[in-house]
Amino acid sequence: MLRASKELALTEQPRMSILQNCSFTLQFFNLDKIIRCFFTRENHQEQLHCISWREQTAGQLTSCQGEDNQSLMVCVCVCVCTTDLLPALGGEDVTRGFLQELLHILLGYICKSSQRSSKVLDFHHPHQLKEGLEGFSLDLPDQPETLEQILVDCRDTLKYGVKTAHPRFFNQLSSGLDLIGLAGEWLTSTANTNMFTYEVSPVFILMEEILLRKMQSIVGWSEDEGDGIFCPGGTISNLYSILVARYHFYPEVKTKGMAALPQLVLFTSEHGHYSVKKSAAVLGIGSENVVVVKCDERWVQRAQTPSVTLLQGLAPFYVNATAGTTVYGAFDPLIAIAEICHRHTLWMHVDAAWGGGLLMSKRHRMKLQGIERACSVTWNPHKMMAVPLQCSVILVKKKGLLQECNQQGAEYLFQMDKPYDVSYDTGDKSIQCGRHVDAFKLWLMWKAKGSEGFGSQVNKCLENAEYLYDQLRRRTDFELVLSSKPEHSNVCFWYIPPSLRNVPPGPDRNSRLHQVAPQIKARMMETGTVLIGYQPLGSKVNFFRCVFSNPATQQEDIDFLLEEIARLGSDL
Amino acid sequence: MLRASKELALTEQPRMSILQNCSFTLQFFNLDKIIRCFFTRENHQEQLHCISWREQTAGQLTSCQGEDNQSLMVCVCVCVCTTDLLPALGGEDVTRGFLQELLHILLGYICKSSQRSSKVLDFHHPHQLKEGLEGFSLDLPDQPETLEQILVDCRDTLKYGVKTAHPRFFNQLSSGLDLIGLAGEWLTSTANTNMFTYEVSPVFILMEEILLRKMQSIVGWSEDEGDGIFCPGGTISNLYSILVARYHFYPEVKTKGMAALPQLVLFTSEHGHYSVKKSAAVLGIGSENVVVVKCDERWVQRAQTPSVTLLQGLAPFYVNATAGTTVYGAFDPLIAIAEICHRHTLWMHVDAAWGGGLLMSKRHRMKLQGIERACSVTWNPHKMMAVPLQCSVILVKKKGLLQECNQQGAEYLFQMDKPYDVSYDTGDKSIQCGRHVDAFKLWLMWKAKGSEGFGSQVNKCLENAEYLYDQLRRRTDFELVLSSKPEHSNVCFWYIPPSLRNVPPGPDRNSRLHQVAPQIKARMMETGTVLIGYQPLGSKVNFFRCVFSNPATQQEDIDFLLEEIARLGSDL
């Protein structure tokens, strides 16, 4: 009569003897682990009797309301819960079992994500997910759930998410799942430490230093130049660049604030990332004091702009040049900008968040020629180098500036009388106090690929872009946004649905074409077969932007993308 | 004669036939995976001949310099390397094998970290680690390493790190390793996505919203109040609070900058976290415009301060009250501060980065009475709630303020014509663009523990603090820094070495006592048995600060700590 429910797996079998009809004595070996017993009729879901073990003083349950001679099943829910895991006494086995089961789930997801036959996403609206699909409740309980349920929650979380590692995920600059990077993240979270002092992160601090040194030398700075830090994303890296530039020219700003300074002005191009404006707002400079330089589709034409503004009596101090713009993947002419900055004593920052990866490729690094003249560089390995999120770096040419700019000398954290070289305590050169270890996964990937492996990876992404460009040129149902060969891995294009193919250019065609990408994208999300982003830009109506940073993507996926867009838009 | 090296495990056996003395023909089934063959004399480590497979055009190696009839061993290094992992064709098995092996390493580390017999750290100076201990090279190669070597690197990284989960790690406000939180991090990095849009993070975005909602209600805000966001650390959370406060009073700052504003002034206590000053520097307010209110050891006495400053014609706008100071764990009197803020129309921020966890405990939450009147709250679940790093939250009472303050409306990311409710795209309310998923691990832990589980965890840490306090009161070789019972889990104390026990209070004793903690700490790092921090504060010379946030810590560890300090300092 005894039937163990699957939740019993992690404990010993309870023993039950029938004393009289519907009255049982249950003996358990792990009494403290049982939170709930219930009886059901065989093959029935309903619970005839449910009792919390904690309410029982003895192991005898007497009030089950089953019928005479009916086959009854006793289900015992064993509370293998979070308190059974380490550091609980004897928690090793439960911990091993739990993490092993988790690995099984994660491996299943990883394998599925790499299968072309699986969906990129299974879209649901916010209200649908909030209502609790198939029992997947997002609500936060007062009482603990069992580990069994936690694993179910993990499965469900992955099920309703988006597979960013799928070969047909083209939606974001960050995509793919590098397994060495993943291993790096798993180890990082297992070590669970903080980058602020050498004391608690000796190995990670050194790895960060070695990576920064390497990246500085790849940028082209000499041995005696260069500083930097890993940041939580490219926007923070760009914010750092303006912060240190301001401090470099006006060190009094740190204590006196902007009130002590003339009206600062900085420059970026209209295709530069919006983080420059955002940072200007945060830093108290004001977003209107960011001069947005008009540019053509690819090249910034800013040769005269700073000098013009100088005439107006403002205080320009900083130019942001972009190496790899977000939409077009264009590279600003760094040498020309360096000349201007040199002439006017302006801080030259290169936002290579997206384009920095090309420095790893012998074939493509010339696109960033002049970057060695920058005073600071943003470079996000989590984009083109496919390092798991987050992994962004700000490099600053002038040594010691980060520390001077940001230190507040909190003695309770950064004691000078420690028994080691305290220049390795990085916490006083960052804005943050506690700081996540973002360096290790990149270090591990560098070990596993070597510089050359990163180079090949970047080359392959740019080959994919060229392949897509070639396909688009051949087809009549698509139109390229830019006619020239892509510089980076961005390729922008319109799908021209049948109804628009014979409509002459003009406002009518434009306003109808503007609707096409959003409609196709909506259908794409419904079908879940592929994912790509779109946006308008300047006078250009909504167009698709395909970007390649996912090492999983092959030419067949690019063919599929175009076929799928054409299929989804065939009736538009 | 053929002996396979252990690296062969992942490939098929090579076959070798002896053609003549010391000349072999090797046949491999997976030619492309072999990077290196070498011959050694049996039981000898040196390589007699080493050849890279890539240099070979055929499978015949002829130049081995072994002696006649000597037993030779051929070692074949199989390059099961990163390119064999998924997304490589057929990479599933290698991926499974690799991650399984990684799990084995991580589990070993986790179990070891929980053993009291293992060291907390194995200290080495920066130069020692850089030189490459026992072959552990930190250098970044041009050529790839094998997966075997990557796993060795992982082992070494953990070996030379600090076990922050060890029951005797008392060094930091963040400690311990919650295994559910760890599972959450592993899943997060496997999903490898970005919090900026619902499109790519549907589930995580909703979990963040639900967590924020829950935390707001725990703070005591009503249903129609409250906004917030997960941040990379408490300093950034505090920075957000000043940023939105400034925008709330002076919205023109966003576009015009600080030049359009009067001279802002803000308040914090001398025991408040240094991030308030740091943020003022970053935001262009200037660190000198932070009025640091003098306070006694536990309570801020700031009742009159804001009004005094008002008289000087400056523009005070913000008060930072601390709930749980870094060193003493003291709580500012929130109700009194709320009154002042109300009277002078000042923004009240509560930095509960460290103390926020106490809100989860019915027994201790009264220490934060008045927090519901705050305009914003910083709360770091990665501290007292032992969530893995990073997990910090800024809560803002006024809805929509974060979005208004930070939005730049980048159309290429935050299109309004998406097929779902775009109010779920959070990217325009954060300073960051891309943002790591920090919410999931907290969500999963909340499921696993329930609110009550967090409450018990917090209670236990505070019980540990009380236990330590009681022990210290009993002993004559230790002196408490504060005589009253700890409010939070911080306990501060001096060890009085034998040579100082009969020295009367005064400058001489103080200057000698100031040396004691650093000396003991240095020895502690050498022996690696326990780790605790020290610092001076105000007029008080170096003292130890013990903090409890690690659920692994038991009373026996506290006993050990005191005995170990006494042992290490017995000759001082």
Side-chain angles (χ1 to χ4, degrees):
Chain A
M1 176 126 19
L2 177 71
R3 296 274 286 271
S5 68
K6 68 172 177 158
E7 284 104 339
L8 267 181
L10 286 160
T11 189
E12 289 162 273
Q13 287 271 344
R15 281 189 308 191
M16 185 176 66
S17 54
I18 301 175
L19 294 181
Q20 64 179 81
N21 181 36
C22 299
S23 173
F24 309 94
T25 298
L26 293 169
Q27 284 187 296
F28 298 99
F29 296 102
N30 290 314
L31 288 189
D32 58 322
K33 286 192 178 177
I34 291 149
I35 46 164
R36 210 155 57 90
C37 280
F38 58 89
F39 301 88
T40 76
R41 287 193 191 83
E42 200 146 23
N43 302 324
H44 280 68
Q45 289 298 317
E46 93 262 45
Q47 296 174 15
L48 294 179
H49 178 76
C50 176
I51 191 151
S52 161
W53 188 263
R54 289 173 187 160
E55 293 163 13
Q56 285 292 104
T57 50
Q60 192 168 4
L61 311 174
T62 52
S63 58
C64 183
Q65 302 302 314
E67 288 162 32
D68 278 4
N69 300 322
Q70 190 179 8
S71 168
L72 283 178
M73 184 167 74
V74 60
C75 292
V76 183
C77 292
V78 181
C79 176
V80 180
C81 69
T82 178
T83 48
D84 296 311
L85 293 166
L86 285 174
L89 205 66
E92 281 198 24
D93 286 347
V94 180
T95 300
R96 279 177 201 280
F98 172 68
L99 288 181
Q100 189 63 57
E101 195 56 39
L102 178 75
L103 178 66
H104 178 71
I105 292 169
L106 298 179
L107 268 168
Y109 178 78
I110 291 166
C111 292
K112 205 168 172 191
S113 291
S114 74
Q115 285 159 10
R116 293 183 165 78
S117 58
S118 75
K119 279 186 166 191
V120 179
L121 78 165
D122 182 11
F123 182 77
H124 292 87
H125 285 282
H127 69 90
Q128 294 173 311
L129 280 171
K130 278 173 155 180
E131 283 156 11
L133 287 164
E134 297 168 19
F136 178 36
S137 162
L138 297 175
D139 297 337
L140 302 169
D142 287 333
Q143 299 292 332
E145 278 182 0
T146 61
L147 291 187
E148 192 77 29
Q149 182 57 41
I150 289 299
L151 292 168
V152 171
D153 289 338
C154 286
R155 253 189 220 100
D156 285 344
T157 300
L158 292 169
K159 181 175 171 191
Y160 296 110
V162 176
K163 297 193 191 74
T164 58
H166 196 287
R168 291 169 184 172
F169 176 83
F170 304 102
N171 211 61
Q172 240 65 51
L173 301 186
S174 306
S175 62
L177 180 66
D178 187 278
L179 282 155
I180 302 290
L182 182 69
E185 274 295 78
W186 287 9
L187 184 145
T188 296
S189 44
T190 307
N192 192 32
T193 194
N194 199 314
M195 288 296 279
F196 47 30
T197 61
Y198 180 82
E199 190 172 325
V200 294
S201 281
V203 184
F204 297 135
I205 290 263
L206 294 180
M207 287 170 173
E208 178 174 69
E209 190 204 22
I210 285 164
L211 283 164
L212 290 169
R213 196 63 254 143
K214 184 83 172 183
M215 292 169 87
Q216 287 153 13
S217 93
I218 290 170
V219 160
W221 292 346
S222 68
E223 281 262 333
D224 55 341
E225 294 172 324
D227 202 344
I229 203 157
F230 279 67
C231 295
T235 292
I236 304 286
S237 292
N238 283 342
L239 185 145
Y240 262 106
S241 74
I242 305 175
L243 180 70
V244 293
R246 180 174 71 175
Y247 178 80
H248 170 71
F249 289 115
Y250 306 98
E252 64 273 27
V253 71
K254 181 174 170 183
T255 51
K256 309 275 182 213
M258 290 292 288
L261 272 54
Q263 181 60 65
L264 299 186
V265 168
L266 57 152
F267 299 86
T268 188
S269 89
E270 61 176 332
H271 292 172
H273 193 261
Y274 71 95
S275 55
V276 172
K277 274 197 167 184
K278 193 167 257 194
S279 299
V282 169
L283 297 169
I285 295 169
S287 58
E288 281 181 6
N289 295 309
V290 178
V291 179
V292 177
V293 181
K294 287 269 164 202
C295 56
D296 62 15
E297 284 150 358
R298 291 209 174 272
W299 297 110
V300 176
Q301 297 169 328
R302 71 174 95 196
Q304 300 310 314
T305 317
S307 55
V308 170
T309 317
L310 277 169
L311 293 175
Q312 297 166 346
L314 301 169
F317 73 109
Y318 171 102
V319 176
N320 171 57
T322 308
T325 60
T326 312
V327 179
Y328 290 144
F331 289 81
D332 284 351
L334 302 184
I335 295 172
I337 292 169
E339 284 301 319
I340 295 167
C341 290
H342 178 71
R343 204 152 55 237
H344 299 286
T345 323
L346 299 169
W347 183 278
M348 177 183 175
H349 174 65
V350 177
D351 177 0
W354 174 226
L358 272 63
L359 291 167
M360 303 302 294
S361 155
K362 288 184 187 124
R363 201 185 299 163
H364 296 289
R365 63 166 289 133
M366 31 70 68
K367 292 170 185 173
L368 293 101
Q369 245 178 352
I371 195 170
E372 70 284 357
R373 294 178 65 178
C375 305
S376 57
V377 171
T378 291
W379 178 353
N380 286 9
H382 73 217
K383 293 199 164 86
M384 198 60 195
M385 290 162 78
V387 178
L389 285 159
Q390 60 193 31
C391 192
S392 171
V393 165
I394 176 70
L395 302 174
V396 180
K397 192 183 246 165
K398 189 179 166 188
K399 267 194 173 152
L401 196 62
L402 273 169
Q403 176 87 7
E404 279 174 48
C405 176
N406 290 315
Q407 72 184 353
Q408 292 291 339
E411 248 181 325
Y412 56 79
L413 193 50
F414 310 115
Q415 305 91 319
M416 303 309 286
D417 49 8
K418 288 180 178 175
Y420 58 86
D421 178 356
V422 293
S423 72
Y424 285 96
D425 288 354
T426 64
D428 224 12
K429 79 181 195 185
S430 64
I431 300 175
Q432 297 164 274
C433 171
R435 193 159 57 92
H436 187 259
V437 179
D438 294 333
F440 179 67
K441 57 195 161 194
L442 175 57
W443 181 87
L444 200 65
M445 282 173 70
W446 212 306
K447 283 280 189 187
K449 291 174 197 291
S451 308
E452 294 190 4
F454 275 124
S456 318
Q457 194 174 308
V458 167
N459 289 345
K460 191 190 156 199
C461 290
L462 270 75
E463 281 159 22
N464 277 340
E466 251 187 78
Y467 178 81
L468 171 58
Y469 170 78
D470 289 341
Q471 298 307 306
L472 287 166
R473 287 222 302 180
R474 276 196 205 110
R475 294 183 69 136
T476 55
D477 48 351
F478 288 89
E479 231 173 68
L480 280 158
V481 173
L482 305 178
S483 56
S484 53
K485 224 174 84 170
E487 288 182 277
H488 201 310
S489 81
N490 309 45
V491 183
C492 297
F493 59 91
W494 289 283
Y495 169 69
I496 312 296
S499 68
L500 282 180
R501 283 185 201 153
N502 297 316
V503 179
D508 173 50
R509 183 178 186 268
N510 274 348
S511 80
R512 285 165 66 191
L513 187 57
H514 190 59
Q515 315 296 325
V516 172
Q519 283 179 282
I520 292 175
K521 171 75 176 252
R523 293 173 180 186
M524 204 176 258
M525 287 175 74
E526 283 298 328
T527 60
T529 45
V530 65
L531 209 62
I532 180 176
Y534 71 87
Q535 68 286 299
L537 192 63
S539 62
K540 296 191 162 63
V541 299
N542 277 326
F543 55 87
F544 290 111
R545 177 202 65 171
C546 194
V547 279
F548 299 96
S549 62
N550 185 347
T553 301
Q554 304 287 352
Q555 292 187 354
E556 63 176 297
D557 303 306
I558 299 167
D559 296 337
F560 180 86
L561 169 72
L562 296 184
E563 285 312 315
E564 188 68 357
I565 289 175
R567 185 181 74 82
L568 293 168
S570 61
D571 63 338
L572 294 179
Chain B
M1 178 133 10
L2 177 71
R3 296 274 286 273
S5 67
K6 68 173 176 158
E7 285 104 336
L8 268 180
L10 285 159
T11 189
E12 291 162 272
Q13 288 270 345
R15 282 190 306 192
M16 185 177 66
S17 52
I18 301 174
L19 294 182
Q20 64 179 83
N21 180 35
C22 301
S23 174
F24 308 94
T25 298
L26 293 168
Q27 285 187 299
F28 299 99
F29 295 102
N30 291 315
L31 288 191
D32 57 324
K33 285 191 178 178
I34 291 150
I35 47 163
R36 210 156 57 91
C37 282
F38 59 88
F39 302 88
T40 76
R41 285 190 192 88
E42 201 147 19
N43 302 323
H44 280 68
Q45 289 298 319
E46 93 261 48
Q47 294 174 17
L48 294 178
H49 177 77
C50 176
I51 192 152
S52 162
W53 188 265
R54 288 175 187 156
E55 293 164 11
Q56 284 293 106
T57 50
Q60 192 168 6
L61 311 173
T62 52
S63 57
C64 184
Q65 302 301 312
E67 290 162 30
D68 276 7
N69 299 323
Q70 188 180 12
S71 169
L72 284 178
M73 185 168 74
V74 61
C75 292
V76 184
C77 291
V78 182
C79 177
V80 180
C81 69
T82 178
T83 47
D84 296 312
L85 293 166
L86 284 173
L89 205 67
E92 281 197 24
D93 287 345
V94 180
T95 300
R96 279 178 202 280
F98 172 67
L99 289 181
Q100 190 63 56
E101 194 57 38
L102 178 74
L103 178 66
H104 178 71
I105 293 170
L106 298 180
L107 268 168
Y109 178 79
I110 291 166
C111 293
K112 205 169 171 191
S113 292
S114 74
Q115 286 158 9
R116 292 181 167 80
S117 57
S118 74
K119 281 185 165 192
V120 179
L121 78 163
D122 182 11
F123 182 77
H124 292 87
H125 285 282
H127 69 90
Q128 294 173 311
L129 280 170
K130 279 173 153 179
E131 282 156 12
L133 287 165
E134 297 169 17
F136 178 36
S137 163
L138 297 174
D139 297 336
L140 302 167
D142 288 333
Q143 299 291 331
E145 277 181 1
T146 62
L147 291 187
E148 191 77 27
Q149 180 58 41
I150 289 300
L151 293 168
V152 171
D153 289 338
C154 287
R155 253 189 219 101
D156 285 342
T157 300
L158 292 169
K159 183 175 170 191
Y160 296 109
V162 177
K163 297 194 191 74
T164 59
H166 195 287
R168 293 173 184 169
F169 177 84
F170 305 102
N171 210 63
Q172 240 65 54
L173 300 185
S174 308
S175 62
L177 180 65
D178 188 278
L179 282 155
I180 302 290
L182 182 69
E185 274 293 79
W186 288 9
L187 184 144
T188 296
S189 45
T190 307
N192 194 31
T193 192
N194 200 313
M195 288 297 280
F196 48 30
T197 61
Y198 180 83
E199 190 171 324
V200 294
S201 281
V203 184
F204 298 134
I205 290 264
L206 294 178
M207 287 171 174
E208 179 175 67
E209 191 204 22
I210 285 164
L211 283 164
L212 290 170
R213 196 64 250 142
K214 184 83 174 181
M215 292 169 88
Q216 286 151 15
S217 94
I218 290 170
V219 160
W221 293 346
S222 70
E223 281 262 333
D224 55 342
E225 293 171 325
D227 202 345
I229 201 155
F230 279 66
C231 295
T235 292
I236 303 286
S237 293
N238 283 343
L239 186 146
Y240 263 106
S241 74
I242 306 176
L243 180 70
V244 293
R246 179 175 72 176
Y247 178 80
H248 170 71
F249 290 115
Y250 306 98
E252 63 275 26
V253 70
K254 182 175 171 182
T255 52
K256 308 276 184 212
M258 290 292 289
L261 272 55
Q263 181 59 63
L264 299 186
V265 168
L266 57 152
F267 299 87
T268 189
S269 89
E270 60 175 334
H271 292 172
H273 193 262
Y274 71 93
S275 56
V276 173
K277 274 197 166 185
K278 194 167 256 193
S279 298
V282 170
L283 297 168
I285 295 170
S287 57
E288 282 181 6
N289 296 308
V290 179
V291 179
V292 177
V293 181
K294 285 270 162 203
C295 56
D296 62 14
E297 283 151 358
R298 293 208 174 274
W299 298 111
V300 175
Q301 298 170 324
R302 72 175 94 199
Q304 300 310 314
T305 317
S307 54
V308 170
T309 318
L310 277 168
L311 294 175
Q312 299 167 344
L314 301 169
F317 75 109
Y318 172 102
V319 176
N320 171 56
T322 307
T325 58
T326 312
V327 179
Y328 291 143
F331 289 81
D332 284 351
L334 302 184
I335 295 172
I337 292 170
E339 284 304 319
I340 296 168
C341 289
H342 178 70
R343 203 152 58 236
H344 298 287
T345 322
L346 299 170
W347 182 279
M348 178 184 174
H349 174 66
V350 177
D351 178 0
W354 174 226
L358 271 63
L359 291 167
M360 303 303 295
S361 156
K362 287 183 187 123
R363 200 184 300 163
H364 296 290
R365 61 167 289 131
M366 32 69 70
K367 294 172 184 170
L368 293 101
Q369 245 179 350
I371 196 172
E372 69 284 358
R373 294 178 65 179
C375 306
S376 55
V377 171
T378 290
W379 178 353
N380 287 9
H382 72 217
K383 292 199 166 85
M384 199 60 197
M385 292 162 76
V387 178
L389 284 160
Q390 59 193 41
C391 191
S392 170
V393 165
I394 174 73
L395 302 174
V396 180
K397 193 182 243 165
K398 189 178 166 190
K399 267 193 173 155
L401 196 63
L402 272 170
Q403 175 87 11
E404 279 173 50
C405 176
N406 290 315
Q407 74 185 347
Q408 292 291 339
E411 247 182 326
Y412 55 79
L413 193 51
F414 310 115
Q415 305 90 325
M416 303 309 288
D417 48 7
K418 287 181 178 176
Y420 60 86
D421 178 356
V422 292
S423 73
Y424 285 95
D425 288 354
T426 64
D428 223 10
K429 79 180 194 187
S430 64
I431 299 175
Q432 296 165 270
C433 171
R435 193 160 56 91
H436 187 259
V437 179
D438 294 332
F440 178 67
K441 58 194 161 194
L442 175 58
W443 180 88
L444 199 66
M445 282 173 69
W446 213 306
K447 283 278 188 189
K449 291 174 199 291
S451 308
E452 296 190 3
F454 275 124
S456 318
Q457 193 173 311
V458 167
N459 289 345
K460 192 189 157 201
C461 290
L462 269 74
E463 282 159 21
N464 277 341
E466 252 187 77
Y467 178 80
L468 172 57
Y469 171 77
D470 290 340
Q471 298 308 305
L472 288 167
R473 287 221 302 178
R474 274 195 209 113
R475 295 183 68 138
T476 55
D477 49 349
F478 288 89
E479 230 173 71
L480 280 158
V481 173
L482 306 178
S483 56
S484 53
K485 224 175 83 170
E487 291 183 276
H488 201 310
S489 80
N490 310 46
V491 182
C492 298
F493 58 90
W494 289 282
Y495 169 69
I496 313 295
S499 68
L500 282 179
R501 281 180 207 156
N502 296 316
V503 180
D508 173 50
R509 184 180 187 265
N510 275 348
S511 80
R512 284 165 66 190
L513 187 56
H514 190 58
Q515 314 296 324
V516 171
Q519 281 178 282
I520 293 177
K521 172 74 176 253
R523 292 173 181 187
M524 202 177 258
M525 289 176 74
E526 283 296 327
T527 61
T529 46
V530 65
L531 210 62
I532 181 175
Y534 72 86
Q535 67 287 299
L537 192 63
S539 61
K540 296 190 163 64
V541 299
N542 277 325
F543 55 86
F544 290 112
R545 178 203 64 174
C546 194
V547 281
F548 299 96
S549 62
N550 185 348
T553 300
Q554 305 288 350
Q555 293 187 353
E556 62 175 299
D557 303 306
I558 299 168
D559 296 336
F560 179 85
L561 169 71
L562 296 185
E563 287 310 317
E564 188 69 357
I565 289 176
R567 186 181 73 83
L568 293 169
S570 61
D571 63 339
L572 293 177

